[in-house]
Amino acid sequence: QAEALEIEAPRHEGTSSAPPRPLRPRRRLGRATVWRPRPRRAMAAMDVEPSPALEAQRKAHPELSELQDQLAKYRGAKLYHQLTQALLEYLASPPLMQPAAASELVEFFEGFIKPLEAKVDKAKFVNILAIICKPQTASKALELIAPFEASASKHRDSKFLWQALRAEKLVLSGDTDAAKELLDGLAKEIADAYEVDAQIQSQFHKTSAALWKALSRPQDYYKSSIQFLLFTPMASIPAEERPR
């Protein structure tokens, strides 16, 4: 048993001018209070089944184990902002940027990334979708993009990015009429919008330049290329695509 120390407060009786009695400690015996923390809820990571798609990535790329561990940790803890950033970093890994990685990127997207759509930032999700689509054929990319039109349209920035991405793949597929119609509408929406993010402007002008190049309109191509460079940090442009 532990002793608890209790301080007796001074008392003032009536209007007596006598000085207050000094504080006198009073001891009493009693049980010591034992603080027991509430049992913590089991870590979310312990409650989530391992992702087969992520496990497949572990087998295919053991050299990326540190990044894969981060993906598993953030997914299990439901830290979706951190998970989004980790995904962008993971997808920028050299082994996944090769043309040969096209099919495994689709498998990873379908099994690991796609189920997260409702939980992550909509614009970031379209950025991730663009990375997955980059090594794909134009027809495959359009197939991957199509299901997300409705969800992307619920937010302005994700809508703009989705439209620019689809227009880019339409140009690559040779459907320049559909691409031009989409970009004409997007240009008006951007012009009417307030404080459009530089990344959206960059993607719009990049895709417009690709369209004008496909249509053999050099003046429009030059104009869109200049606009693209104005809105795009040089460091973010792949070395092979930088102006010389």
Side-chain angles (χ1 to χ4, degrees):
Q1 290 184 334
E3 291 186 348
L5 182 62
E6 188 178 277
I7 303 298
E8 182 178 295
R11 298 178 182 175
H12 298 274
E13 298 178 359
T15 57
S16 172
S17 61
R21 290 178 296 174
L23 296 178
R24 178 171 56 85
R26 184 172 63 194
R27 297 182 181 274
R28 68 177 181 182
L29 294 178
R31 291 186 178 181
T33 302
V34 179
W35 295 96
R36 293 186 177 87
R38 295 179 180 178
R40 292 184 178 181
R41 184 170 59 88
M43 290 292 291
M46 302 294 291
D47 300 333
V48 178
E49 292 293 329
S51 165
L54 184 56
E55 294 305 307
Q57 283 293 299
R58 289 186 186 278
K59 292 179 182 178
H61 303 290
E63 72 279 13
L64 301 177
S65 61
E66 184 175 345
L67 289 173
Q68 291 157 356
D69 289 343
Q70 286 186 353
L71 295 177
K73 178 179 73 173
Y74 294 143
R75 172 178 174 265
K78 297 181 173 61
L79 298 173
Y80 297 115
H81 173 73
Q82 293 89 333
L83 178 57
T84 302
Q85 297 304 120
L87 274 170
L88 290 167
E89 183 180 358
Y90 183 72
L91 293 172
S93 302
L96 298 178
M97 298 182 69
Q98 305 302 318
S103 59
E104 71 167 291
L105 281 175
V106 171
E107 293 174 3
F108 184 55
F109 176 77
E110 294 289 348
F112 187 87
I113 301 173
K114 187 176 178 179
L116 300 171
E117 184 204 0
K119 299 178 176 66
V120 302
D121 179 86
K122 299 300 181 185
K124 294 292 186 184
F125 184 83
V126 178
N127 289 336
I128 291 171
L129 181 60
I131 296 172
I132 301 298
C133 289
K134 187 172 183 178
Q136 313 300 328
T137 64
S139 59
K140 180 62 178 178
L142 288 168
E143 178 186 325
L144 288 168
I145 294 166
F148 302 103
E149 179 177 9
S151 58
S153 296
K154 295 178 181 179
H155 302 269
R156 189 198 72 175
D157 287 1
S158 59
K159 177 186 177 182
F160 289 171
L161 287 170
W162 184 91
Q163 289 176 327
L165 178 60
R166 184 168 186 269
E168 175 191 344
K169 302 310 176 183
L170 286 170
V171 171
L172 291 175
S173 71
D175 193 349
T176 54
D177 289 341
K180 186 176 184 306
E181 182 181 356
L182 185 56
L183 287 172
D184 286 346
L186 179 55
K188 185 178 185 307
E189 289 188 83
I190 289 176
D192 293 341
Y194 179 72
E195 292 188 350
V196 177
D197 188 80
Q199 185 202 8
I200 296 171
Q201 298 274 13
S202 171
Q203 292 302 314
F204 168 73
H205 291 296
K206 179 182 179 181
T207 305
S208 296
L211 173 65
W212 303 135
K213 183 177 182 179
L215 294 176
S216 299
R217 291 170 56 169
Q219 290 184 339
D220 290 324
Y221 168 73
Y222 178 76
K223 179 181 178 182
S224 291
S225 297
I226 293 298
Q227 291 295 314
F228 165 67
L229 292 174
L230 286 175
F231 287 104
T232 311
M234 191 63 67
S236 69
I237 304 175
E240 64 275 11
E241 298 179 11
R242 293 177 188 176
R244 297 170 183 171

